[in-house]
Amino acid sequence: MDLALDLGLVGLAFILLWLGALAIPLLRARSALLPPYLALLLHSAVDFDLSYGLVWLLLLSAAAIGIAEAREDRLRFPPGPTLASGGPLPDAAWFLPWLVRGAFAVVAVMLLLLSVSGYREAESQRLHRQALALPPQAKREVAELLQRSLALSPYRTAARLALAERSAPQEAASLLRAGLRYEPERSELWLALGRALAREGDPAAAEALRRSVELDRFDRVKQTTALRELSQLAQSLRASGHLRQAEAAASTGADLYADYSRLAEAIAGAPALRNDRAFLLTAEAMELGRQLQQQSHPLTRNALK
């Protein structure tokens, strides 16, 4: 299951084919290493042994010895008749060496592709660390390094968030929406998107902030940040004359605060429950909730406590 999660079903199929191809020389040579090979492989299938490089080295060593034994057997006995000599068709086992070679060739190509992918990921992380080590004044250099890091590994949310934080709101929103295609359930991406849209005065920020809170309800920082952004968004929309949209944004914030306060009250009222994240209702959230309640009238659907 772990290999399937890491490599996908296609990758898992190649790994199983490769492991089966390694066992063929041991079987043909009647090698004494075949039982240890199978025992190690079967044990590793239900344990974490395959996460250790030593296990792979043991499997490869057993296969290498088995191949050497198979070659010695072929040298000891003369080859059978061939098609060119007019003899009978070769036995099916005659094709096994080619099957093994083909399997090893496929694995070699896969390892080459994985090596290239690993290099890109390592280089992306190096550029990210280099960008964060620069002083705040080097904004242009930091942005360039983060862009290069993200180009090498577009799945790296940390680099995407760092670049979005240093970008203009419209560019940041585009970056974050692209990141959501890779990780649609990542709360940090939704929160950053909501903040970027709120800076532009876009009413769509309310839905992004709500989604962020839904994905990580027990984070008091995210809960308070979402309320702060919604309060500022409502004020910005009201100042620009969009009264109806301002009330809708405030109503979303009021509903989020009502859910937040009820959840915090439930946690506080159940001391037997673990609260490792120190989840509670912050003083800032209570003040923001009061403001949002006033701003959302008459659209507030849930009464605030």
Side-chain angles (χ1 to χ4, degrees), residues 180-227:
L180 286 170
R181 290 199 293 268
Y182 301 113
E183 291 190 278
E185 304 298 318
R186 187 68 177 266
S187 174
E188 290 81 3
L189 286 173
W190 284 106
L191 181 63
L193 177 60
R195 298 182 65 181
L197 293 174
R199 281 186 290 169
E200 289 190 292
D202 190 338
E207 178 60 24
L209 293 168
R210 184 190 63 80
R211 182 63 174 153
S212 171
V213 170
E214 287 180 348
L215 291 170
D216 195 2
R217 297 189 304 153
F218 295 97
D219 190 322
R220 66 181 189 275
V221 176
K222 288 190 180 73
Q223 291 270 15
T224 305
T225 301
L227 295 176

Short mmCIF file of all heavy atoms in Angstrom, two decimals, residues 180-227:
data_model
loop_
_atom_site.label_atom_id
_atom_site.label_comp_id
_atom_site.label_asym_id
_atom_site.label_seq_id
_atom_site.Cartn_x
_atom_site.Cartn_y
_atom_site.Cartn_z
N LEU A 180 -3.91 24.91 -5.82
CA LEU A 180 -5.08 24.14 -5.39
C LEU A 180 -5.40 23.00 -6.35
O LEU A 180 -6.10 22.06 -5.98
CB LEU A 180 -6.28 25.08 -5.25
CG LEU A 180 -6.25 26.00 -4.03
CD1 LEU A 180 -7.36 27.04 -4.11
CD2 LEU A 180 -6.38 25.17 -2.75
N ARG A 181 -4.90 23.08 -7.57
CA ARG A 181 -5.09 21.96 -8.50
C ARG A 181 -4.29 20.74 -8.03
O ARG A 181 -4.66 19.60 -8.32
CB ARG A 181 -4.68 22.36 -9.91
CG ARG A 181 -5.62 23.36 -10.56
CD ARG A 181 -5.45 23.38 -12.06
NE ARG A 181 -4.15 23.89 -12.46
CZ ARG A 181 -3.90 25.16 -12.74
NH1 ARG A 181 -4.87 26.05 -12.68
NH2 ARG A 181 -2.69 25.55 -13.10
N TYR A 182 -3.18 20.97 -7.34
CA TYR A 182 -2.37 19.88 -6.82
C TYR A 182 -2.85 19.44 -5.44
O TYR A 182 -2.83 18.24 -5.14
CB TYR A 182 -0.89 20.30 -6.72
CG TYR A 182 -0.28 20.72 -8.04
CD1 TYR A 182 0.10 22.03 -8.27
CD2 TYR A 182 -0.07 19.78 -9.04
CE1 TYR A 182 0.66 22.42 -9.49
CE2 TYR A 182 0.50 20.15 -10.26
CZ TYR A 182 0.86 21.47 -10.48
OH TYR A 182 1.41 21.85 -11.67
N GLU A 183 -3.22 20.39 -4.60
CA GLU A 183 -3.65 20.08 -3.23
C GLU A 183 -4.95 20.81 -2.91
O GLU A 183 -4.94 21.84 -2.22
CB GLU A 183 -2.58 20.46 -2.22
CG GLU A 183 -1.34 19.60 -2.28
CD GLU A 183 -0.41 19.88 -1.11
OE1 GLU A 183 0.35 20.85 -1.19
OE2 GLU A 183 -0.46 19.14 -0.11
N PRO A 184 -6.07 20.32 -3.40
CA PRO A 184 -7.34 21.04 -3.19
C PRO A 184 -7.81 21.04 -1.74
O PRO A 184 -8.68 21.82 -1.39
CB PRO A 184 -8.32 20.28 -4.09
CG PRO A 184 -7.72 18.92 -4.24
CD PRO A 184 -6.24 19.12 -4.23
N GLU A 185 -7.25 20.19 -0.89
CA GLU A 185 -7.66 20.12 0.51
C GLU A 185 -6.64 20.76 1.44
O GLU A 185 -6.67 20.50 2.65
CB GLU A 185 -7.89 18.65 0.91
CG GLU A 185 -8.88 17.91 0.05
CD GLU A 185 -10.27 18.52 0.12
OE1 GLU A 185 -10.69 18.88 1.22
OE2 GLU A 185 -10.91 18.67 -0.95
N ARG A 186 -5.76 21.59 0.91
CA ARG A 186 -4.73 22.22 1.74
C ARG A 186 -5.27 23.53 2.31
O ARG A 186 -5.51 24.50 1.59
CB ARG A 186 -3.47 22.48 0.90
CG ARG A 186 -2.28 22.98 1.69
CD ARG A 186 -1.75 21.93 2.63
NE ARG A 186 -0.56 22.39 3.32
CZ ARG A 186 0.69 22.16 2.92
NH1 ARG A 186 0.90 21.44 1.84
NH2 ARG A 186 1.71 22.62 3.60
N SER A 187 -5.46 23.55 3.63
CA SER A 187 -6.06 24.71 4.28
C SER A 187 -5.22 25.97 4.10
O SER A 187 -5.77 27.07 3.92
CB SER A 187 -6.23 24.41 5.78
OG SER A 187 -6.69 25.55 6.47
N GLU A 188 -3.89 25.84 4.15
CA GLU A 188 -3.03 27.02 4.02
C GLU A 188 -3.20 27.70 2.67
O GLU A 188 -3.12 28.94 2.58
CB GLU A 188 -1.57 26.62 4.23
CG GLU A 188 -1.21 26.23 5.64
CD GLU A 188 -1.60 24.80 5.98
OE1 GLU A 188 -2.11 24.10 5.09
OE2 GLU A 188 -1.41 24.40 7.14
N LEU A 189 -3.41 26.93 1.62
CA LEU A 189 -3.61 27.52 0.30
C LEU A 189 -4.91 28.31 0.24
O LEU A 189 -4.96 29.42 -0.32
CB LEU A 189 -3.62 26.42 -0.77
CG LEU A 189 -2.26 25.80 -1.12
CD1 LEU A 189 -2.44 24.62 -2.06
CD2 LEU A 189 -1.35 26.84 -1.77
N TRP A 190 -5.98 27.76 0.81
CA TRP A 190 -7.25 28.48 0.82
C TRP A 190 -7.16 29.75 1.65
O TRP A 190 -7.72 30.79 1.28
CB TRP A 190 -8.36 27.57 1.36
CG TRP A 190 -8.83 26.53 0.40
CD1 TRP A 190 -8.56 25.19 0.43
CD2 TRP A 190 -9.64 26.75 -0.76
NE1 TRP A 190 -9.16 24.56 -0.63
CE2 TRP A 190 -9.84 25.49 -1.38
CE3 TRP A 190 -10.23 27.87 -1.33
CZ2 TRP A 190 -10.59 25.33 -2.54
CZ3 TRP A 190 -10.99 27.71 -2.49
CH2 TRP A 190 -11.17 26.46 -3.07
N LEU A 191 -6.46 29.69 2.77
CA LEU A 191 -6.32 30.88 3.61
C LEU A 191 -5.53 31.97 2.88
O LEU A 191 -5.92 33.15 2.88
CB LEU A 191 -5.64 30.52 4.92
CG LEU A 191 -5.44 31.66 5.91
CD1 LEU A 191 -6.79 32.21 6.36
CD2 LEU A 191 -4.62 31.20 7.11
N ALA A 192 -4.43 31.57 2.24
CA ALA A 192 -3.63 32.55 1.51
C ALA A 192 -4.41 33.12 0.33
O ALA A 192 -4.31 34.32 0.02
CB ALA A 192 -2.33 31.91 1.03
N LEU A 193 -5.21 32.27 -0.33
CA LEU A 193 -6.03 32.76 -1.44
C LEU A 193 -7.06 33.75 -0.93
O LEU A 193 -7.30 34.80 -1.56
CB LEU A 193 -6.71 31.59 -2.14
CG LEU A 193 -7.67 31.94 -3.28
CD1 LEU A 193 -6.95 32.70 -4.39
CD2 LEU A 193 -8.35 30.68 -3.84
N GLY A 194 -7.69 33.44 0.20
CA GLY A 194 -8.67 34.37 0.76
C GLY A 194 -8.04 35.71 1.11
O GLY A 194 -8.63 36.77 0.86
N ARG A 195 -6.85 35.68 1.66
CA ARG A 195 -6.17 36.93 2.01
C ARG A 195 -5.82 37.73 0.76
O ARG A 195 -5.94 38.95 0.74
CB ARG A 195 -4.92 36.64 2.84
CG ARG A 195 -5.21 35.95 4.17
CD ARG A 195 -3.95 35.72 4.97
NE ARG A 195 -3.36 36.98 5.37
CZ ARG A 195 -2.22 37.07 6.06
NH1 ARG A 195 -1.57 35.97 6.42
NH2 ARG A 195 -1.74 38.25 6.40
N ALA A 196 -5.34 37.04 -0.29
CA ALA A 196 -4.99 37.74 -1.52
C ALA A 196 -6.22 38.36 -2.17
O ALA A 196 -6.18 39.51 -2.63
CB ALA A 196 -4.31 36.76 -2.49
N LEU A 197 -7.33 37.63 -2.20
CA LEU A 197 -8.55 38.18 -2.78
C LEU A 197 -9.11 39.32 -1.93
O LEU A 197 -9.66 40.29 -2.47
CB LEU A 197 -9.59 37.07 -2.91
CG LEU A 197 -9.27 35.95 -3.92
CD1 LEU A 197 -10.31 34.84 -3.85
CD2 LEU A 197 -9.17 36.51 -5.34
N ALA A 198 -8.97 39.19 -0.62
CA ALA A 198 -9.46 40.27 0.26
C ALA A 198 -8.67 41.55 0.03
O ALA A 198 -9.24 42.65 0.10
CB ALA A 198 -9.36 39.82 1.72
N ARG A 199 -7.39 41.43 -0.24
CA ARG A 199 -6.59 42.63 -0.52
C ARG A 199 -7.06 43.33 -1.79
O ARG A 199 -6.89 44.55 -1.94
CB ARG A 199 -5.10 42.25 -0.65
CG ARG A 199 -4.40 42.05 0.69
CD ARG A 199 -2.92 41.84 0.48
NE ARG A 199 -2.62 40.56 -0.13
CZ ARG A 199 -1.43 40.21 -0.60
NH1 ARG A 199 -0.42 41.07 -0.56
NH2 ARG A 199 -1.24 39.02 -1.13
N GLU A 200 -7.63 42.58 -2.71
CA GLU A 200 -8.17 43.16 -3.94
C GLU A 200 -9.61 43.63 -3.77
O GLU A 200 -10.18 44.22 -4.68
CB GLU A 200 -8.13 42.12 -5.07
CG GLU A 200 -6.74 41.80 -5.58
CD GLU A 200 -6.82 40.96 -6.84
OE1 GLU A 200 -7.24 39.79 -6.74
OE2 GLU A 200 -6.47 41.48 -7.92
N GLY A 201 -10.20 43.35 -2.61
CA GLY A 201 -11.61 43.70 -2.42
C GLY A 201 -12.55 42.79 -3.17
O GLY A 201 -13.67 43.18 -3.51
N ASP A 202 -12.12 41.55 -3.44
CA ASP A 202 -12.92 40.59 -4.19
C ASP A 202 -13.84 39.84 -3.22
O ASP A 202 -13.36 39.19 -2.28
CB ASP A 202 -12.01 39.62 -4.92
CG ASP A 202 -12.75 38.74 -5.91
OD1 ASP A 202 -13.98 38.58 -5.77
OD2 ASP A 202 -12.10 38.22 -6.84
N PRO A 203 -15.16 39.88 -3.41
CA PRO A 203 -16.08 39.16 -2.51
C PRO A 203 -15.83 37.66 -2.47
O PRO A 203 -16.25 37.00 -1.51
CB PRO A 203 -17.45 39.49 -3.08
CG PRO A 203 -17.27 40.75 -3.86
CD PRO A 203 -15.89 40.68 -4.42
N ALA A 204 -15.16 37.10 -3.50
CA ALA A 204 -14.89 35.66 -3.51
C ALA A 204 -13.95 35.26 -2.37
O ALA A 204 -13.82 34.07 -2.06
CB ALA A 204 -14.27 35.26 -4.85
N ALA A 205 -13.31 36.24 -1.73
CA ALA A 205 -12.44 35.94 -0.60
C ALA A 205 -13.20 35.27 0.53
O ALA A 205 -12.65 34.44 1.26
CB ALA A 205 -11.77 37.22 -0.11
N ALA A 206 -14.47 35.63 0.70
CA ALA A 206 -15.26 35.07 1.80
C ALA A 206 -15.37 33.55 1.68
O ALA A 206 -15.22 32.82 2.67
CB ALA A 206 -16.65 35.70 1.82
N GLU A 207 -15.61 33.04 0.48
CA GLU A 207 -15.74 31.60 0.29
C GLU A 207 -14.41 30.90 0.51
O GLU A 207 -14.36 29.81 1.10
CB GLU A 207 -16.26 31.31 -1.12
CG GLU A 207 -16.39 29.83 -1.45
CD GLU A 207 -17.35 29.09 -0.53
OE1 GLU A 207 -18.24 29.73 0.05
OE2 GLU A 207 -17.21 27.86 -0.38
N ALA A 208 -13.31 31.51 0.05
CA ALA A 208 -11.99 30.91 0.25
C ALA A 208 -11.64 30.83 1.73
O ALA A 208 -11.12 29.82 2.22
CB ALA A 208 -10.93 31.70 -0.51
N LEU A 209 -11.93 31.89 2.48
CA LEU A 209 -11.65 31.89 3.91
C LEU A 209 -12.53 30.88 4.65
O LEU A 209 -12.07 30.20 5.57
CB LEU A 209 -11.86 33.30 4.47
CG LEU A 209 -10.86 34.35 3.97
CD1 LEU A 209 -11.32 35.74 4.35
CD2 LEU A 209 -9.47 34.08 4.53
N ARG A 210 -13.77 30.78 4.24
CA ARG A 210 -14.65 29.80 4.86
C ARG A 210 -14.15 28.39 4.61
O ARG A 210 -14.14 27.53 5.51
CB ARG A 210 -16.07 29.94 4.30
CG ARG A 210 -17.09 29.01 4.95
CD ARG A 210 -18.41 29.02 4.19
NE ARG A 210 -18.23 28.52 2.84
CZ ARG A 210 -18.17 27.21 2.53
NH1 ARG A 210 -18.28 26.30 3.50
NH2 ARG A 210 -18.00 26.82 1.29
N ARG A 211 -13.69 28.12 3.40
CA ARG A 211 -13.17 26.81 3.06
C ARG A 211 -11.92 26.48 3.87
O ARG A 211 -11.73 25.34 4.33
CB ARG A 211 -12.84 26.76 1.56
CG ARG A 211 -12.32 25.42 1.06
CD ARG A 211 -13.35 24.35 1.23
NE ARG A 211 -12.91 23.10 0.63
CZ ARG A 211 -13.31 21.91 1.04
NH1 ARG A 211 -14.17 21.80 2.03
NH2 ARG A 211 -12.86 20.81 0.46
N SER A 212 -11.07 27.46 4.09
CA SER A 212 -9.86 27.25 4.89
C SER A 212 -10.20 26.82 6.30
O SER A 212 -9.60 25.90 6.85
CB SER A 212 -9.02 28.53 4.91
OG SER A 212 -7.96 28.43 5.82
N VAL A 213 -11.18 27.49 6.90
CA VAL A 213 -11.58 27.17 8.27
C VAL A 213 -12.22 25.79 8.33
O VAL A 213 -11.99 25.01 9.28
CB VAL A 213 -12.53 28.25 8.81
CG1 VAL A 213 -13.16 27.81 10.12
CG2 VAL A 213 -11.79 29.56 8.99
N GLU A 214 -13.01 25.43 7.36
CA GLU A 214 -13.65 24.11 7.34
C GLU A 214 -12.62 22.98 7.30
O GLU A 214 -12.82 21.92 7.89
CB GLU A 214 -14.58 23.99 6.14
CG GLU A 214 -15.87 24.79 6.27
CD GLU A 214 -16.76 24.63 5.06
OE1 GLU A 214 -16.27 24.08 4.04
OE2 GLU A 214 -17.93 25.03 5.12
N LEU A 215 -11.50 23.20 6.61
CA LEU A 215 -10.48 22.17 6.46
C LEU A 215 -9.59 22.04 7.69
O LEU A 215 -8.88 21.04 7.83
CB LEU A 215 -9.62 22.46 5.22
CG LEU A 215 -10.32 22.30 3.88
CD1 LEU A 215 -9.46 22.83 2.75
CD2 LEU A 215 -10.67 20.84 3.63
N ASP A 216 -9.58 23.05 8.55
CA ASP A 216 -8.72 23.00 9.75
C ASP A 216 -9.42 23.76 10.87
O ASP A 216 -8.99 24.84 11.28
CB ASP A 216 -7.35 23.61 9.44
CG ASP A 216 -6.32 23.26 10.50
OD1 ASP A 216 -6.66 22.53 11.44
OD2 ASP A 216 -5.18 23.73 10.40
N ARG A 217 -10.47 23.17 11.41
CA ARG A 217 -11.31 23.87 12.37
C ARG A 217 -10.61 24.12 13.70
O ARG A 217 -10.92 25.08 14.40
CB ARG A 217 -12.59 23.07 12.63
CG ARG A 217 -13.49 22.90 11.42
CD ARG A 217 -14.81 22.28 11.84
NE ARG A 217 -14.58 21.01 12.54
CZ ARG A 217 -15.42 20.50 13.44
NH1 ARG A 217 -16.50 21.18 13.77
NH2 ARG A 217 -15.18 19.34 14.02
N PHE A 218 -9.68 23.27 14.08
CA PHE A 218 -9.08 23.35 15.41
C PHE A 218 -7.78 24.15 15.42
O PHE A 218 -6.91 23.90 16.25
CB PHE A 218 -8.85 21.93 15.96
CG PHE A 218 -10.12 21.18 16.21
CD1 PHE A 218 -10.59 20.28 15.26
CD2 PHE A 218 -10.86 21.39 17.36
CE1 PHE A 218 -11.77 19.58 15.49
CE2 PHE A 218 -12.04 20.69 17.58
CZ PHE A 218 -12.50 19.79 16.64
N ASP A 219 -7.66 25.10 14.52
CA ASP A 219 -6.52 26.00 14.50
C ASP A 219 -7.02 27.40 14.85
O ASP A 219 -7.68 28.06 14.05
CB ASP A 219 -5.86 26.00 13.11
CG ASP A 219 -4.53 26.74 13.10
OD1 ASP A 219 -4.43 27.79 13.78
OD2 ASP A 219 -3.61 26.31 12.40
N ARG A 220 -6.73 27.84 16.06
CA ARG A 220 -7.25 29.14 16.50
C ARG A 220 -6.65 30.29 15.71
O ARG A 220 -7.29 31.34 15.54
CB ARG A 220 -6.98 29.33 17.99
CG ARG A 220 -5.51 29.45 18.37
CD ARG A 220 -5.36 29.61 19.88
NE ARG A 220 -4.00 29.95 20.27
CZ ARG A 220 -3.04 29.08 20.47
NH1 ARG A 220 -3.31 27.79 20.33
NH2 ARG A 220 -1.83 29.46 20.83
N VAL A 221 -5.43 30.12 15.21
CA VAL A 221 -4.81 31.18 14.42
C VAL A 221 -5.54 31.36 13.09
O VAL A 221 -5.85 32.48 12.67
CB VAL A 221 -3.31 30.87 14.19
CG1 VAL A 221 -2.69 31.92 13.28
CG2 VAL A 221 -2.57 30.83 15.52
N LYS A 222 -5.83 30.25 12.42
CA LYS A 222 -6.56 30.33 11.15
C LYS A 222 -7.97 30.88 11.37
O LYS A 222 -8.47 31.67 10.57
CB LYS A 222 -6.64 28.96 10.48
CG LYS A 222 -5.33 28.45 9.88
CD LYS A 222 -5.59 27.22 9.04
CE LYS A 222 -4.31 26.69 8.41
NZ LYS A 222 -3.42 26.05 9.40
N GLN A 223 -8.62 30.43 12.44
CA GLN A 223 -9.96 30.92 12.73
C GLN A 223 -9.95 32.44 12.93
O GLN A 223 -10.77 33.17 12.35
CB GLN A 223 -10.49 30.24 14.00
CG GLN A 223 -10.79 28.76 13.85
CD GLN A 223 -12.22 28.50 13.40
OE1 GLN A 223 -12.92 29.39 12.95
NE2 GLN A 223 -12.65 27.25 13.53
N THR A 224 -9.00 32.93 13.72
CA THR A 224 -8.94 34.37 13.99
C THR A 224 -8.53 35.14 12.75
O THR A 224 -9.07 36.23 12.47
CB THR A 224 -7.94 34.64 15.13
OG1 THR A 224 -8.31 33.85 16.28
CG2 THR A 224 -7.92 36.11 15.52
N THR A 225 -7.59 34.61 11.98
CA THR A 225 -7.15 35.28 10.75
C THR A 225 -8.30 35.41 9.77
O THR A 225 -8.47 36.46 9.13
CB THR A 225 -5.98 34.52 10.11
OG1 THR A 225 -4.90 34.44 11.03
CG2 THR A 225 -5.52 35.20 8.84
N ALA A 226 -9.08 34.35 9.61
CA ALA A 226 -10.22 34.41 8.69
C ALA A 226 -11.22 35.48 9.12
O ALA A 226 -11.73 36.24 8.28
CB ALA A 226 -10.90 33.04 8.63
N LEU A 227 -11.50 35.57 10.41
CA LEU A 227 -12.42 36.61 10.90
C LEU A 227 -11.85 38.01 10.66
O LEU A 227 -12.58 38.92 10.27
CB LEU A 227 -12.69 36.40 12.39
CG LEU A 227 -13.42 35.11 12.77
CD1 LEU A 227 -13.54 35.00 14.28
CD2 LEU A 227 -14.79 35.06 12.11
#
